[in-house]
Amino acid sequence: MLNKLSCCLLLVFCLSSYAAGNDKKPSNESTVFNETFSWQAQMGFSLHYNDTIIEGVEQSYLDDYINLSLLFDFYYKGFFIQTNYRRLDTHILGAEIGYQLINNDDWELDIITRSYIGGFDSAEIIENSDKDLPIMEGLKVRDLGDGLAIRYSRYFNDSYFSVDVANLAALSDAKGWVIDAFYSHLIPYRNWDIYLNTGLSIYSSATTNYYIGIGNSEVLDIRPHYQTGTGGKIQFEFYAQRPLSESWTFNVGFSQSYYSNNIADSPIVDSQGATQLLAGVIYVF
């Protein structure tokens, strides 16, 4: 499975290389808004279905489906906070903070911090579940996977490609590294901006085992010791936005992820795929 993931990463990179044209980056997709200072704030409200592969994680109450977010973009002399408006994960894992190292017309190199993996607390999962989950009892907390990364970004006429190499241990209790590649193609249709996206994440063995591995201290009769190697995830995504007025924008999205076999084989993982759905509005201040 990992070899297939590596081939997909190569395919994503090749697609970006053959995208039409080598136009300059769009102003709303660069960390540079002007030479010195710029900012923009948006408030998002959406209904959100967020499936995960972890056993027992479910949305049980109405407020589990409601997502409120503040999207804040800021730039000052190379330092930035930015939102990836093409990507559905932005509404879950939040914005990116970083510093611009190199900025050219059609590519840039940044150092950034962002969340790459959602964490979980087994005690919280058990408390919020309406069924018994002995398989989850006594697990250590898995922290949110915040990472410090180098990102290469490449811009085309209607497409965008990026690859992050992130160290999770630098900013959190999570271990190991992540390589995260993302390709997005924009299709303008009437008043819609439609983004067709694909992503590939490769997790080091330390990262994979931190999140879905079972250590010696966590072994139960129904939960055997489990350690594995490098894992990965392929993601396919549809995301669209349509302006309703000068201040309001409607957005809708769908994302489907598939994980490598060695992740799906963990005793605390109940499926190989995860689905996300989102529909909502964004207000621009």
Side-chain angles (χ1 to χ4, degrees):
M1 181 66 177
L2 186 56
N3 288 336
K4 293 180 181 178
L5 291 173
S6 300
C7 289
C8 287
L9 176 59
L10 180 61
L11 176 61
V12 167
F13 181 78
C14 290
L15 285 172
S16 70
S17 299
Y18 285 100
N22 286 330
D23 221 359
K24 294 184 178 181
K25 70 189 73 169
S27 61
N28 66 337
E29 294 189 30
S30 168
T31 50
V32 174
F33 300 106
N34 59 37
E35 293 299 321
T36 54
F37 172 80
S38 185
W39 71 275
Q40 178 178 268
Q42 302 183 56
M43 177 72 74
F45 172 82
S46 60
L47 296 177
H48 192 197
Y49 173 74
N50 183 27
D51 187 21
T52 78
I53 62 171
I54 301 300
E55 179 75 43
V57 177
E58 54 191 27
Q59 292 170 281
S60 304
Y61 306 101
L62 179 60
D63 58 356
D64 293 335
Y65 293 90
I66 297 174
N67 183 54
L68 293 173
S69 58
L70 178 62
L71 309 176
F72 184 70
D73 291 313
F74 170 88
Y75 174 84
Y76 181 70
K77 293 185 177 179
F79 292 95
F80 61 84
I81 302 172
Q82 68 179 11
T83 303
N84 189 340
Y85 294 100
R86 290 176 175 259
R87 200 165 192 173
L88 196 63
D89 276 354
T90 297
H91 297 270
I92 306 168
L93 296 177
E96 304 159 353
I97 302 172
Y99 181 76
Q100 187 178 78
L101 300 174
I102 301 174
N103 173 48
N104 287 322
D105 284 345
D106 54 10
W107 70 275
E108 65 183 76
L109 189 68
D110 304 321
I111 182 168
I112 70 164
T113 66
R114 63 170 285 242
S115 295
Y116 289 89
I117 307 174
F120 65 90
D121 182 344
S122 63
E124 230 175 71
I125 293 172
I126 293 170
E127 182 181 346
N128 292 332
S129 179
D130 56 3
K131 59 183 178 182
D132 292 334
L133 293 170
I135 193 73
M136 300 300 291
E137 291 180 359
L139 287 174
K140 296 177 182 177
V141 174
R142 271 59 167 178
D143 282 350
L144 187 69
D146 292 332
L148 180 65
I150 293 292
R151 169 179 290 172
Y152 168 78
S153 301
R154 187 79 160 87
Y155 298 88
F156 304 93
N157 280 339
D158 293 313
S159 302
Y160 165 78
F161 172 77
S162 70
V163 59
D164 298 4
V165 180
N167 178 9
L168 299 188
L171 296 178
S172 67
D173 288 338
K175 297 176 174 61
W177 49 262
V178 174
I179 297 176
D180 184 70
F182 177 71
Y183 176 76
S184 176
H185 182 71
L186 168 65
I187 301 175
Y189 178 72
R190 297 184 179 178
N191 288 331
W192 288 90
D193 284 339
I194 300 171
Y195 300 98
L196 301 180
N197 306 328
T198 184
L200 173 65
S201 300
I202 298 177
Y203 310 118
S204 69
S205 58
T207 301
T208 303
N209 287 318
Y210 175 81
Y211 284 100
I212 55 87
I214 306 300
N216 292 329
S217 63
E218 298 177 319
V219 170
L220 299 174
D221 289 341
I222 62 171
R223 190 173 64 211
H225 180 269
Y226 187 78
Q227 296 290 289
T228 186
T230 303
K233 176 185 75 171
I234 300 173
Q235 188 175 37
F236 303 98
E237 190 173 279
F238 165 90
Y239 186 64
Q241 294 184 325
R242 185 185 190 279
L244 301 176
S245 67
E246 284 190 9
S247 299
W248 290 95
T249 300
F250 174 74
N251 61 322
V252 61
F254 165 81
S255 176
Q256 182 67 45
S257 300
Y258 298 97
Y259 290 80
S260 56
N261 291 335
N262 63 333
I263 291 179
D265 288 342
S266 167
I268 61 171
V269 171
D270 70 352
S271 67
Q272 192 159 10
T275 303
Q276 296 174 13
L277 297 169
L278 176 143
V281 291
I282 293 174
Y283 179 78
V284 182
F285 292 96

